[in-house]
Amino acid sequence: MQNIVVDFESYYSKKQGISAGTVGVINYVRDSYAYMVSIVGPGLEFIGTIEEAQAKFSDKFWEDPETRFWAANANFDQLWVQRYWPDARAMKPWSCILDRGATEQLPQSLSGIVQALWGKKVDKSLRDWMDGKHYRDITAEQQKDVLNYCLEDSKEEQRVLAALPDPSSIEQQIAAHTRMTNLRGIRIDADRLKQDKEELLRFQHDAFMRIPWHNDETALSPLALAAWATQNGVPVPASLAKDDEECASLIGAHPKLAKVIQAMRQYRKSNTLVRKIQSLEGRITDNGTMALELMYCGARHTRRWSSRGVNVQNLDREPYYLTADGKPANGAWDVWPRRWLIPREGKTFLILDYAQIEPRCLNWLVKNDELLNLIRSGFGIYEAYARHSGQWSDSAPLKKANPGLYKSVKAQVLGLGYGMGAARYKETAAKDGILLTNDEARATVISWRNLNPQVVGLWKEMDETIKLATLDKSKIMEITLPTEDKLRHFGVRHYMNKFTDPETGEEVTKRGYESFSTKGDLSPMSKQPNLWGGTMAENVTQRMARDVLAEAVVRLENAGLPVVFHAHDEVILEVDIGSREEAKREAEKILMMAPPWAPDLPLGVEGDFADTYVK
C-alpha cells in the first residue's frame, strides 16, 4: 500500500463570501473552482493546473486499491477529485493528516503541526495574498510562486505523515466515520426555517424600535445605555445578563429601565437567531441537507468532538418564545433551532443517551465495586449511591418515595466527583432548586468525600503525577487510559501569581499548576489553568466516556443504523419508520455492550423516537 498526498488550490474570496467556512465544503466545491493540484508519493512529484492533471492522471489512478490517498483536509480534496474526475466511482474514502495529528494532541492545521513537531514556521502569506484573485489573472512569475507553494505544502504533508504514528484501528474508524457523517449531513426543515426567520425579523424590528436611541446610536451600545440612564436618572447595571443579581435588582426597582433592558435583550437574542439562520441557509446543499463540520478530537484531552459552522452539538436546549419575557404564552410563536433538524423522508430520529455515563465511568476507574454492583443489580445510579452511602434503605423506589432526597443525591453524584468545593456546590445545587446554607453545603461536601475515599484517592494520585511532571525535563504529563491510549498535558508548570484582593485591598498570592492541552500551542484555547487532581480526574473520566460512545457509534453504523450525528453523550440515529421498533431494540443492545477494555462497566441507555431533534 503506497501513500500519496494530494493538495488542491482553489479560488476563494472572503469579501464575496466564497469560502468553505462560509457556505460549507460541499457548496464551496460546487460554486467555486480549483486551479491547480500537487500530487506527491513514492517516485511521484506532480504540480500543475487541473487541466494538466486531468491529462496525466486517469480515473484508474484515483481508483487504485493499492493506493491510500491523504490530504490535510481529506473531505475537501477528495470532493475536488469527484468534481474533476466524475467517472472515478470506485474511490475509497481518503485519510486525513489533520485527524492523525489530532490523536497526538497536535494543532488542527498543517502549519500548526509543523510548528509543533519541528519549530518551523510555515509561511501562509502567499495563500492569503490569493484571497479574491483568480490564478489566470496573476503574472507568470506569480503563478510560478503559487505552484511552488502548493508543491511545498504536499511535501510538508508527506513529512508530517512519515513522522506521526498510526492511531489504533478503532480511532481510525472513528475519524473516518466523522468525515463520512460530515458529508452525509442532516436534513433541514426549510419551511420552518423560513417561518422562523420572518417571525424573528418582525420581533427584532419591534424590539429595535423600543430602544430609545435606535436612530442615533448602535442599538446595543453600552455607552448609549449609560447616557440614556443618566438623562433619565436611573442607575446602569454593570451587566445585562439575565442571571446577574445587580441587574435583576435594578430592573425590579426601575420600571423604565426594565423596559429598555428587555428591548435590548430581545433585540440581541433575535439578532443572534437571525444570524444563525442566515449561516445555515448558506450551507443547505442541493438535496436539502446541511453538511456538518464535526471536528474529530476537537477537544484534545477528552477527544470529544467540537464543531465549526452551525454547531449542531450546542443548539439551545429550550425554545425561545417571541414574547415580552421570552416565556410561553397562548398563541406565541417560538423559535427552537433544534426543530430545524429533521429526518429524511420515510425516516425518523431515534435519539438515545448514555445515562449518567460520567459517574459510572468514574466509579469504574476507582473500582468502587460496591456501588457498581448495586447498579448491576438494577438500581439507577442515584438510588444506588443513596443506598451505598446509607442515605436510603427503604424497599420503595427512592425517586417516587422521596423525590427531595433523590434530587439531592443526584446533585451530589453529578457535582462532587471532580473536587467541587462547598461554595460552588451551593451555587450549583441552587440551580436545581436545592437551597443550602454555607454550613449545609460544607457538610455535604465533607460527607461525600468521606464516603468516597477511592475518588479522593484518585485526586491525590493525580496531584502527585502533576508534581512529578513539573520535575521532568520534558514537562509532559502522560496518563495511560483503559484503552491503552495516552492522555497528555504539555508544558506542565508551577505558577505563583500575586494580586490585590478587590474587597480587602490586601495582596494575595495564588499558587498552583497549569499546562497546555495541545502540543506547541500556547494560546488561551490550549491552556489548562488551575490544574490539580480533580481536573485530571475529570479529564480521564470524560475521555473514557467519549471512548465508550465513539466505539458504540462505529458498531451502530456497521450494523446498518446510521448515526447522523452525536452530541455529548447521545447519538441521533436515522431509522426507517416501518422498522423503527426493531431498530430501537438493536440500537439499545449495541449501546449497552461494554467495550472490550472495560467489560464489566455497567451502562444505561435512555431515549425514544422524534420527528425533529428534540429530547
Side-chain angles (χ1 to χ4, degrees), residues 13 178 289 333 372 395 411 553:
S13 171
T178 303
T289 63
W333 190 267
L372 294 174
S395 59
V553 164

Side-chain angles (χ1 to χ4, degrees), residues 4-18:
I4 290 182
V5 167
V6 181
D7 187 14
F8 283 86
E9 292 298 327
S10 55
Y11 174 77
Y12 77 104
S13 171
K14 292 181 181 177
K15 185 176 181 180
Q16 294 177 296
I18 303 173

Side-chain angles (χ1 to χ4, degrees), residues 140-158:
E141 189 64 30
Q142 291 167 337
Q143 289 179 349
K144 183 179 178 180
D145 290 341
V146 175
L147 286 166
N148 289 336
Y149 164 83
C150 185
L151 179 61
E152 185 55 36
D153 251 13
S154 289
K155 290 180 178 179
E156 205 72 82
E157 289 165 19
Q158 275 283 13

